[in-house]
Amino acid sequence: MKETDKEFLQNSFKKFYFEHSNLIRVPDRAPEREFGFQKFNSGMNRHISIKDDKELHLLLMQNIPSDVYCSNAYYSFPTSPMNEKDWKEADLIFDIDAKDLNLSCRGSHTISICNQCKKITQDFVHCSNCNSSKFEKKSLPCNNCMNSSKKEVSKLIEVLEEDFGVIKENIYVYFSGNEGFHVYVFNSEFQTLGSRERSDLADYIMFKGIIPETYGLWKFKSDKNLFPDFDQKGWRGRFSKEVFGSKSKRPKIVSQLIKNGYSSFQKTFDEVSEKIGVKIDPNVTMDIHRIFRLPGSINSKSGLAKILCKDLKEFDPYSQSCLINEDSVEVKANCPIQFKLKNKKFGPYNDEIITIPSYAAAYMICKNFATIS
C-alpha cells in the first residue's frame, strides 16, 4: 500500500474510532479473552489482554489499527502462548459469506488485479498488459449477494432454535464488514464443546454426511414407512417439504424413489442437501482458538464496520455500516464496476481523477481500486 493511501486510511479510521467509540465495546468476560490487532502494512499482534472499554479505546487511538480482533474463547491466561493459555470454553460462532454461496451474479461484479503489473480487469484468463495468469480477485457484492447471505442466516437461526433449542435472545447477528455475516451464540450448552464436536455440529447444520439408509432407502430392501414425513421435526421434515412438495404427493414420490434405486436416491439426496443445508464455513465453527473481528470495528478489506443487525430483513450493510466521514477527497480511480454506498452510486471509473466522499474513497482504496492522487 502506498504511503499516501496508508496515511489517508489511518486518519479516516482514527476519526471513526474517536467519533464512534460508543459502538466499540469489550465483550462480556473481557479479561478472560485474547485480543489482537493489525496495523497497516504490518503483521498481527496477538495474546493481548484488555480489561475494559477504556483500555480498548486507548489501544485504538494509540495504534490506529487496520483491524481489531477478539477471541471467542475464554482462558485462564489469555496473554500466554497458545499451549499455556488454559482453555476454558468458547462462544459458538458461524460465518456465512457470499463468496461461498456459488451465486450466478458473482462474475458480473468480480474484478481481477494482475499480481505482476497491477492492471485491473474483468478478464480472469490472462492479463492483456503483461500476459500473466496470476490474479488477485476482488468482489463488490451486490444486493443479491447480501439477500442470499441473509437467507442462509435465517435458515441457520431456524435450525438453532428448532433443532437445538437455542433461545432467540442468545443469538446475535453481525454484518462482517465485507461480504457476509457472523452469527454468535452466547450462554448455550455448546460453550464447552471441543473442535471435533463443533465439527459434527457444523455437519448437521450443513445437512452433510447423511446416508440414504437414514431416510428409508436401503440397497437391497426399503420400507416406505421409514421415509420422512411432513409432520416430523428437523431435517426429516425439511427434506419432506423439499422433495414431496405436499402430503398428497408423498406416497407416489416415495414409490418412485424406491423404484429408481439407491444410486438415484443418493443423487437426489446430494442435490437436496446442497439446496436446503445451511452454507456456513465449517472451519470457522470448529476453531476454538480463533480471534474474530471485534464488533464495532472497521474491516480493512472494505472500510465498512462490523455492526449488529437488529432487524436482519431491513438491514442495509452498504448504508448502515458505512460510517467513515463524508469529507471530500481526490483519488485516482480504476473501478470498472458501479457500486452503491449510502444510497449513492459510484463508478464505473477508468483511470480517472475524481473527487468523492471519504467513505467511498476508503472503500475503493481498501479494495485496491483507487489511490490518493
Side-chain angles (χ1 to χ4, degrees):
M1 181 181 290
K2 292 182 179 179
E3 192 63 29
T4 51
D5 295 336
K6 173 185 169 183
E7 289 178 5
F8 167 74
L9 290 178
Q10 282 182 325
N11 291 334
S12 298
F13 282 31
K14 184 175 183 178
K15 188 172 184 179
F16 166 84
Y17 286 126
F18 180 76
E19 294 179 346
H20 298 280
S21 59
N22 62 307
L23 288 178
I24 311 161
R25 302 290 184 84
V26 295
D28 290 343
R29 298 169 61 183
E32 299 174 72
R33 297 180 186 261
E34 175 195 357
F35 289 80
F37 70 89
Q38 194 165 5
K39 300 181 73 169
F40 292 98
N41 294 344
S42 184
M44 177 73 76
N45 295 278
R46 290 191 63 165
H47 312 299
I48 298 169
S49 176
I50 296 178
K51 296 181 177 60
D52 52 35
D53 291 341
K54 185 177 180 180
E55 284 190 10
L56 173 60
H57 295 155
L58 183 62
L59 179 145
L60 295 174
M61 299 309 294
Q62 287 181 338
N63 294 278
I64 318 175
S66 61
D67 302 276
V68 189
Y69 303 94
C70 176
S71 69
N72 62 329
Y74 304 88
Y75 302 103
S76 298
F77 311 104
T79 60
S80 298
M82 192 58 71
N83 61 348
E84 299 175 11
K85 287 183 183 293
D86 185 22
W87 186 88
K88 297 179 179 178
E89 57 185 80
D91 300 320
L92 186 62
I93 301 181
F94 301 93
D95 178 44
I96 292 173
D97 203 297
K99 72 177 188 301
D100 300 323
L101 304 185
N102 300 318
L103 300 172
S104 59
C105 62
R106 298 292 290 181
S108 65
H109 54 72
T110 298
I111 303 170
S112 292
I113 303 175
C114 178
N115 288 344
Q116 297 291 338
C117 68
K118 304 304 179 184
K119 180 179 175 62
I120 294 175
T121 179
Q122 285 187 273
D123 185 349
F124 304 127
V125 180
H126 68 275
C127 176
S128 60
N129 188 48
C130 69
N131 209 37
S132 172
S133 59
K134 296 181 179 180
F135 297 99
E136 177 187 9
K137 291 184 179 181
K138 296 280 186 177
S139 179
L140 282 70
C142 65
N143 286 334
N144 183 54
C145 290
M146 288 300 102
N147 290 334
S148 297
S149 298
K150 287 180 180 180
K151 183 180 178 181
E152 296 302 313
V153 171
S154 297
K155 286 162 60 178
L156 171 61
I157 292 174
E158 177 188 308
V159 174
L160 290 173
E161 291 181 351
E162 294 184 4
D163 297 24
F164 295 105
V166 176
I167 301 171
K168 185 178 182 179
E169 287 72 24
N170 288 342
I171 302 174
Y172 289 73
V173 179
Y174 294 88
F175 172 59
S176 70
N178 194 26
E179 295 197 47
F181 297 88
H182 294 162
V183 180
Y184 286 59
V185 178
F186 295 113
N187 304 317
S188 72
E189 60 183 295
F190 307 110
Q191 291 283 127
T192 56
L193 291 183
S195 293
R196 181 176 296 178
E197 292 81 8
R198 290 173 191 240
S199 177
D200 291 340
L201 184 68
D203 282 345
Y204 177 87
I205 289 170
M206 297 169 71
F207 198 43
K208 296 291 185 182
I210 310 297
I211 58 175
E213 286 83 350
T214 310
Y215 280 64
L217 192 69
W218 297 73
K219 287 186 176 181
F220 304 108
K221 184 180 179 181
S222 298
D223 185 346
K224 292 182 180 181
N225 296 322
L226 293 179
F227 274 76
D229 212 337
F230 267 69
D231 298 328
Q232 290 182 290
K233 301 291 186 181
W235 285 119
R236 292 179 67 84
R238 297 183 192 103
F239 179 89
S240 297
K241 293 177 178 65
E242 179 64 31
V243 175
F244 305 140
S246 66
K247 286 186 177 182
S248 60
K249 294 179 181 179
R250 181 183 179 276
K252 183 177 179 180
I253 294 176
V254 168
S255 296
Q256 188 63 49
L257 289 171
I258 293 174
K259 181 181 178 180
N260 291 343
Y262 189 91
S263 297
S264 177
F265 185 67
Q266 180 69 67
K267 183 179 179 181
T268 301
F269 210 84
D270 292 341
E271 291 172 353
V272 173
S273 175
E274 176 65 24
K275 189 172 182 180
I276 68 175
V278 185
K279 294 178 177 62
I280 60 172
D281 183 340
N283 295 318
V284 171
T285 300
M286 65 184 290
D287 193 341
I288 59 174
H289 297 292
R290 183 181 291 256
I291 52 176
F292 290 83
R293 192 172 305 282
L294 185 69
S297 67
I298 298 180
N299 189 324
S300 70
K301 295 177 182 177
S302 65
L304 304 176
K306 175 177 177 175
I307 60 174
L308 180 67
C309 306
K310 295 181 180 179
D311 185 337
L312 181 64
K313 184 178 179 180
E314 298 299 323
F315 179 74
D316 178 0
Y318 299 106
S319 177
Q320 292 172 250
S321 68
C322 188
L323 300 174
I324 286 179
N325 67 82
E326 300 193 17
D327 297 346
S328 295
V329 61
E330 189 175 89
V331 299
K332 183 178 183 181
N334 187 7
C335 182
I337 295 176
Q338 186 181 80
F339 62 94
K340 194 175 181 181
L341 293 173
K342 288 190 174 180
N343 295 316
K344 295 180 181 178
K345 293 180 180 179
F346 299 92
Y349 304 115
N350 183 22
D351 273 333
E352 50 192 290
I353 304 295
I354 55 172
T355 299
I356 54 177
S358 289
Y359 63 81
Y363 186 72
M364 286 199 289
I365 291 172
C366 286
K367 291 185 175 292
N368 295 326
F369 297 148
T371 186
I372 296 295
S373 63

